[in-house]
Amino acid sequence: MEDIGKIMAIFIPILVVVGGITLAIVRVITQARLEELARRERIAAIERGADPEKLAVIMGAATDSYSMGDSRLKRAHGLLIGAFILMAFGVGLSILGYTLEPRESHWVMGLLPILIGVALLASSLVVWPRRKS
């Protein structure tokens, strides 16, 4: 039974990495296919006599406002998500260090991810797009 646990401990991370890479590849292929279909549809409409000026501009496969919006907003959201993940990891690491040996100061290990998360949070506020007045 112990051997099965060791084998599972090795194969689970490998399976997660392979699954993540596979998911990324499938997403790229799907987006490329959607862009190709949008271009074909545009060409077919032009061939049928539609005015090219009145057709929607193809800006990638996604047509929602977030994907066609400001790249600074995407970057700010990414920094914000990373900040919260790192701060949560730091808090968890601090709690774990404190509960394992309360008399020692191992809880300090969680301060580094917390501080990196705070720095990412501050940088997301700097990158966040400002409204034009």
Side-chain angles (χ1 to χ4, degrees):
M1 263 336 247
E2 292 177 14
D3 293 335
I4 294 174
K6 290 179 183 179
I7 292 172
M8 292 300 289
I10 292 171
F11 281 117
I12 289 176
I14 292 172
L15 184 65
V16 168
V17 169
V18 169
I21 292 171
T22 304
L23 182 66
I25 291 170
V26 168
R27 182 173 182 198
V28 168
I29 290 172
T30 303
Q31 285 179 344
R33 180 71 176 142
L34 287 174
E35 288 177 15
E36 179 187 352
L37 290 174
R39 285 188 185 97
R40 284 186 181 186
E41 182 179 345
R42 181 177 173 87
I43 290 170
I46 292 171
E47 287 175 350
R48 281 186 252 126
D51 186 17
E53 299 293 324
K54 294 182 181 179
L55 295 176
V57 178
I58 300 172
M59 293 185 67
T63 57
D64 58 348
S65 61
Y66 184 77
S67 64
M68 294 190 322
D70 192 5
S71 65
R72 292 183 67 180
L73 181 63
K74 287 183 188 178
R75 188 178 319 133
H77 282 171
L79 290 170
L80 197 62
I81 291 168
F84 287 135
I85 289 172
L86 270 174
M87 287 191 298
F89 175 72
V91 168
L93 192 61
S94 293
I95 291 171
L96 178 69
Y98 182 76
T99 56
L100 288 178
E101 294 185 29
R103 294 188 183 138
E104 300 292 327
S105 59
H106 294 302
W107 63 271
V108 178
M109 291 186 307
L111 287 181
L112 182 63
I114 291 173
L115 292 175
I116 294 172
V118 168
L120 286 174
L121 186 64
S123 63
S124 74
L125 294 175
V126 170
V127 175
W128 200 273
R130 306 283 184 249
R131 292 183 186 242
K132 296 177 183 176
S133 37

